[in-house]
Amino acid sequence: MKISILGTGYVGLSTGVCMAEIGHYVTCIDINQQKINQLRQGFSPIYEPNLENLLQKNTKAGRLTFTTSHQEGLDSAEIIIIAVGTPQGEDGSPDLSYIIQCAKDISPYLTDGAIVVIKSTVPVGTNENIQKIIMNRCNRESTIKMASNPEFLRQGTAINDTLHPDRIIIGANKKEVAEKVGEMYLPLNAPMIMTSIRSAEMIKYASNAFLATKLSYINEIANLCEKVGADVTDIAVGMGADKRIGESFLQAGIGYGGSCFPKDVKALELTANQHGIHFSMLKETMRINNEQQVILVTKAKKRFGHLRARKIALLGLSFKPNTDDMRDAPSIKIAKSLANEGAEVIAYDPVANSNARKILGNTINYASSVEDAAIDADAIFIVTDWDEIKHLDVNILKKMRWPIIFDGRNCLDENIINALDIVEYYPVGRPSIIHPHQQTH
Ligand SMILES: NC(=O)C1=CN([C@@H]2O[C@H](COP(=O)(O)OP(=O)(O)OC[C@H]3O[C@@H](n4cnc5c(N)ncnc54)[C@H](O)[C@@H]3O)[C@@H](O)[C@H]2O)C=CC1
Ligand SMILES: O=C(O)[C@H]1O[C@H](OP(=O)(O)OP(=O)(O)OC[C@H]2O[C@@H](n3ccc(=O)[nH]c3=O)[C@H](O)[C@@H]2O)[C@H](O)[C@@H](O)[C@@H]1O
């Protein structure tokens, strides 16, 4: 099948590479010339495990090409996938300007049989509006075929998620359109759910908001665990063993971040509001998450009294491991809050230092290794559960002024905690460990 994809971000590029991997001929279009140049040379502009390898393999096989030209990129495309950003606008609703621009960009080159698929996360009704824009521009009514095909990949595991999805949602108002889009995915052998366009758009928001709410729920349980002396990691195992609840998304910590949950929860709450439904549960999901993101700062202030002139090593900056994405990362709020308290912050991330610098600038200092960050630190904050942070070298802790660790992901290797008899360890929602040799510091 001949597929064109607009947008070579996390979703567009992962989709493009995977569709080529299963045998389709894919052209990826982006307006960013620099990205396209980089991709043509076989380099991925984003950090995503296994992406660059499949990019090079499929480019070499002649199934994957990149262009900035809509005319060239859309030539004889059977399916045109729109995967551009829908970031949060100033009023909290998604900014649809990139999608609208895509509609304008593709209109002159649409052939009769082509299907326009919106993969970006868009509010209910957007597919219909985009269809109208295209119809007006093309001056044709009957032949614009549209489908909603929301994406569920997670950053850090984007390739695996795209090749092995739990389900594929296809929303279309015509059976033959849904079937044609489904044909594209047949080699994946994944369950497909066909719905109306509006339902497909809604499934995406309902899923993300549900997962975010599950996280705020377990985080509030974690806060309660600290008060009553229970351990939230045991609670998660106990709850998760119930199939109706499920074990995933029960890892308590410093709350959710990233380019999707924060904006999608807000967008759904706004949609509900516009229709007279006060979805107060989502308001609470967001409130809990906002407070949770700075919980390590609150804990450290309690431990030290104040944080002025305290040196804090921030380990991990990206919003989750295995990505360099800093969009809405909890580390941003934590770093700013520490700086406001007068602390000296030195941060380390295996891949996100340079993206972080674009956002945080000189508010903090950047280290080139865990060890660099930890030297003479008064405390470590574990912010992102990268493998090298979870299993950090015990000897590194001996270089701190005093090994005090605030673990925002409850992820530090048990052996490390047990190996040190001078450690103070403060996880989230679990009993703290303060070894007997502790001295005032
Ligand atoms: N990042 C993620 O993990 C997921 C994102 N989504 C949704 O997918 C959509 C895309 O998200 P990301 O991939 O993160 O975005 P991104 O910001 O990483 O990439 C968007 C790309 O679109 C390009 N672009 C903008 N206007 C264009 C145009 N007119 N023609 C061609 N290219 C254009 C930009 O240059 C950029 O490279 C959003 O709606 C997001 O909510 C859905 C599932 C997962
Ligand atoms: O629409 C999207 O963009 C995507 O949003 C999320 O994917 P993503 O944001 O990439 O990553 P997640 O693994 O969901 O993590 C989101 C945040 O929740 C946090 N999280 C996740 C799981 C958990 O148990 N605990 C927890 O704190 C992560 O650290 C991260 O900050 C969804 O999981 C994807 O299905 C969806 O496609």
Side-chain angles (χ1 to χ4, degrees):
M1 214 177 246
K2 176 116 184 5
I3 301 164
S4 297
I5 301 179
L6 284 91
T8 58
Y10 290 88
V11 170
L13 187 56
S14 304
T15 305
V17 161
C18 292
M19 290 302 103
E21 177 67 10
I22 59 173
H24 299 302
Y25 288 85
V26 181
T27 307
C28 293
I29 308 169
D30 205 292
I31 49 171
N32 185 328
Q33 182 73 59
Q34 207 187 333
K35 269 193 187 182
I36 293 298
N37 291 345
Q38 212 177 326
L39 287 161
R40 279 178 173 157
Q41 286 162 16
F43 299 114
S44 169
I46 50 171
Y47 179 87
E48 191 60 52
N50 208 19
L51 176 66
E52 202 163 79
N53 160 34
L54 291 188
L55 160 73
Q56 291 170 1
K57 178 183 159 199
N58 286 287
T59 307
K60 221 176 253 174
R63 287 193 298 270
L64 185 59
T65 50
F66 298 93
T67 181
T68 51
S69 155
H70 291 87
Q71 181 169 15
E72 180 192 322
L74 294 167
D75 183 38
S76 63
E78 294 162 80
I79 294 189
I80 298 163
I81 300 176
I82 299 180
V84 297
T86 49
Q88 195 163 358
E90 269 173 24
D91 64 350
S93 66
D95 172 0
L96 299 177
S97 59
Y98 301 98
I99 299 266
I100 292 169
Q101 186 57 45
C102 283
K104 295 177 182 169
D105 291 341
I106 63 178
S107 296
Y109 311 111
L110 268 189
T111 53
D112 271 0
I115 300 174
V116 178
V117 174
I118 300 191
K119 190 171 264 306
S120 302
T121 304
V122 292
V124 176
T126 304
N127 273 259
E128 287 161 27
N129 293 337
I130 292 300
Q131 189 174 28
K132 279 183 202 144
I133 294 174
I134 300 174
M135 279 188 329
N136 286 339
R137 296 212 146 219
C138 293
N139 232 348
R140 302 197 300 247
E141 288 225 348
S142 55
T143 52
I144 308 299
K145 298 174 179 164
M146 294 283 301
S148 164
N149 172 220
E151 180 53 58
F152 298 94
L153 66 78
R154 292 160 299 170
Q155 287 176 220
T157 50
I159 296 297
N160 193 53
D161 289 350
T162 309
L163 291 174
H164 308 284
D166 285 352
R167 81 306 204 183
I168 292 162
I169 305 291
I170 302 172
N173 295 339
K174 285 190 183 134
K175 196 165 170 252
E176 66 272 19
V177 172
E179 280 171 358
K180 179 85 178 167
V181 178
E183 203 184 307
M184 172 176 76
Y185 289 115
L186 275 183
L188 295 181
N189 208 11
M192 289 193 211
I193 298 169
M194 312 289 194
T195 68
S196 70
I197 286 183
R198 285 184 167 242
S199 295
E201 291 170 328
M202 190 66 186
I203 286 169
K204 176 63 195 177
Y205 282 102
S207 302
N208 270 6
F210 182 82
L211 290 171
T213 301
K214 194 173 179 187
L215 288 178
S216 281
Y217 180 82
I218 197 67
N219 281 331
E220 199 71 317
I221 292 288
N223 296 335
L224 184 55
C225 281
E226 285 187 12
K227 302 281 183 204
V228 300
D231 183 331
V232 74
T233 58
D234 290 338
I235 310 305
V237 171
M239 284 173 65
D242 184 330
K243 287 193 188 72
R244 294 170 303 173
I245 296 174
E247 63 187 16
S248 59
F249 277 73
L250 286 178
Q251 254 174 275
I254 50 169
Y256 60 79
S259 65
C260 292
F261 283 174
K263 85 166 165 59
D264 292 347
V265 176
K266 183 67 196 163
L268 185 59
E269 195 245 330
L270 281 176
T271 301
N273 242 326
Q274 284 158 6
H275 290 85
I277 291 180
H278 299 290
F279 210 151
S280 51
M281 183 193 283
L282 295 183
K283 282 201 167 86
E284 273 304 287
T285 295
M286 292 185 274
R287 183 195 64 76
I288 292 167
N289 197 57
N290 279 335
E291 288 177 16
Q292 201 70 17
Q293 286 191 337
V294 286
I295 198 157
L296 298 190
V297 181
T298 312
K299 282 172 185 272
K301 272 169 76 177
K302 196 169 159 206
R303 164 63 180 81
F304 289 114
H306 64 77
L307 297 176
R308 275 189 304 283
R310 290 285 180 186
K311 185 176 171 189
I312 310 290
L314 219 60
L315 299 188
L317 287 162
S318 57
F319 83 99
K320 63 180 286 196
N322 300 316
T323 179
D324 57 356
D325 198 349
M326 282 295 297
R327 289 179 288 183
D328 256 316
S331 65
I332 299 171
K333 208 190 265 183
I334 296 172
K336 285 183 178 167
S337 171
L338 283 173
N340 275 342
E341 296 290 335
E344 181 196 338
V345 181
I346 177 141
Y348 167 71
D349 189 284
V351 299
N353 272 14
S354 78
N355 281 347
R357 211 184 278 272
K358 290 177 206 156
I359 297 169
L360 289 164
N362 296 330
T363 314
I364 60 171
N365 296 308
Y366 303 87
S368 55
S369 65
V370 172
E371 182 170 359
D372 268 4
I375 290 171
D376 287 338
D378 289 292
I380 279 177
F381 277 23
I382 297 182
V383 174
T384 315
D385 40 345
W386 285 93
D387 271 346
E388 79 171 88
I389 293 171
K390 290 198 282 198
H391 307 294
L392 55 79
D393 182 349
V394 173
N395 293 317
I396 289 173
L397 302 182
K398 294 180 183 149
K399 300 190 173 169
M400 297 173 67
R401 279 192 202 148
W402 186 253
I404 300 179
I405 300 174
F406 295 90
D407 185 351
R409 300 291 184 177
N410 291 342
C411 67
L412 190 63
D413 192 325
E414 290 282 329
N415 293 328
I416 298 169
I417 303 165
N418 297 332
L420 284 180
D421 62 352
I422 50 167
V423 79
E424 282 179 52
Y425 179 66
Y426 300 96
V428 177
R430 312 181 67 185
S432 304
I433 298 172
I434 302 170
H435 281 291
H437 307 304
Q438 182 220 2
Q439 64 190 51
T440 310
H441 176 71

